Amino acid sequence: MKMSKDLEKLIIEQIRNELESAYIYLGMSAAMESMAFSGIAKWMRRQAKEEVEHGMKFYDYLVSRGSKVELLPIAQAATDYKSPLNAFEVALNHEKKVTGLIHKMYDLAVSLKDYESQNMLNWFVTEQIEEEGQTQHFVDRLKFAGDDACAVLRIDKEAGKVEG
Ligand code: FEO
C-alpha cells in the first residue's frame, strides 16, 4: 500500500531533522574538543554518528515504501557552548523535541491505520527513551558536580568510556 503524502512529508522532514541532529552533536563535539574535554567530545561525536544512522533508517524506509526521497537543507550548527553542562542541557531539550516529532508521526500513522509505519516508528519510540535517558544522566551528574573541576573531569573520563 502506498504511503500517505502527509506521512511521507513528515518522514522527509525527519531525515533532515536527524541529519541536523548529527550536525548539532558534531558542533558540540567540536566545542568540547576546544575546551579539552576529550571524553565528552568523543561521546558527542559518537552521538552524531548515531543520528546519521537514524536519518538513514528513515531514508531506507521511504525507499522500501516506494516513496521518493527528498533532501531538505540543514541549518548551521553552533560550535560554541559555555560548558559541558550547557551543551548537555541543549542536547536534552533537542532530544525532547525529537521525541515529540516521532510521536506526531506515530499519531498520524495510527490515524491512517498505516501498520507498517507504526512498526517502523516503534523502534524510534524506544530509542528516544534511551536518548533522553543518557542525556539526562549527564545533565544530572554535571549539575551535581557544579564548579568542582575534578568532578567534571571524572565525568569527562566516564563519557569517553561509554560504548555505543
Ligand atoms: Fe535521532 Fe537523538 O534522536
Side-chain angles (χ1 to χ4, degrees):
M1 192 179 76
K2 203 86 176 131
M3 208 186 334
S4 91
K5 283 285 164 203
D6 288 345
L7 188 54
E8 203 175 87
K9 182 170 174 284
L10 290 186
I11 294 179
I12 286 168
E13 285 174 3
Q14 196 59 22
I15 294 173
R16 188 265 322 275
N17 296 337
E18 298 289 349
L19 294 180
E20 208 161 75
S21 299
Y23 222 39
I24 290 169
Y25 278 115
L26 195 58
M28 289 175 176
S29 182
M32 294 304 113
E33 293 284 12
S34 72
M35 296 164 93
F37 291 116
S38 56
I40 295 173
K42 189 177 165 195
W43 191 92
M44 294 292 187
R45 189 171 170 145
R46 190 173 56 79
Q47 207 58 30
K49 195 163 160 258
E50 271 192 25
E51 299 297 356
V52 173
E53 287 167 11
H54 295 172
M56 291 312 295
K57 268 186 194 285
F58 282 112
Y59 176 108
D60 288 337
Y61 182 68
L62 271 190
V63 172
S64 75
R65 293 291 303 270
S67 300
K68 189 169 182 305
V69 172
E70 279 180 53
L71 296 174
L72 306 174
I74 58 175
Q76 183 172 0
T79 50
D80 286 311
Y81 289 90
K82 285 199 302 268
S83 63
L85 175 59
N86 174 225
F88 273 107
E89 281 178 332
V90 172
L92 181 58
N93 278 337
H94 183 76
E95 289 299 344
K96 286 180 178 172
K97 190 178 122 194
V98 171
T99 301
L101 293 168
I102 302 280
H103 291 176
K104 188 175 159 197
M105 274 186 283
Y106 201 98
D107 285 344
L108 183 58
V110 168
S111 71
L112 292 166
K113 292 191 166 45
D114 182 337
Y115 303 111
E116 296 88 342
S117 295
Q118 287 173 49
N119 192 39
M120 180 276 293
L121 287 165
N122 271 327
W123 186 89
F124 282 97
V125 170
T126 308
E127 176 70 6
Q128 280 311 115
I129 297 171
E130 191 187 305
E131 298 269 292
E132 281 191 35
Q134 284 183 349
T135 316
Q136 182 76 59
H137 167 80
F138 282 107
V139 167
D140 293 344
R141 302 256 286 138
L142 285 163
K143 272 189 181 163
F144 193 66
D147 293 332
D148 180 343
C150 284
V152 175
L153 286 172
R154 265 200 304 278
I155 295 168
D156 180 59
K157 200 170 169 193
E158 176 199 328
K161 285 184 184 157
V162 174
E163 295 298 331

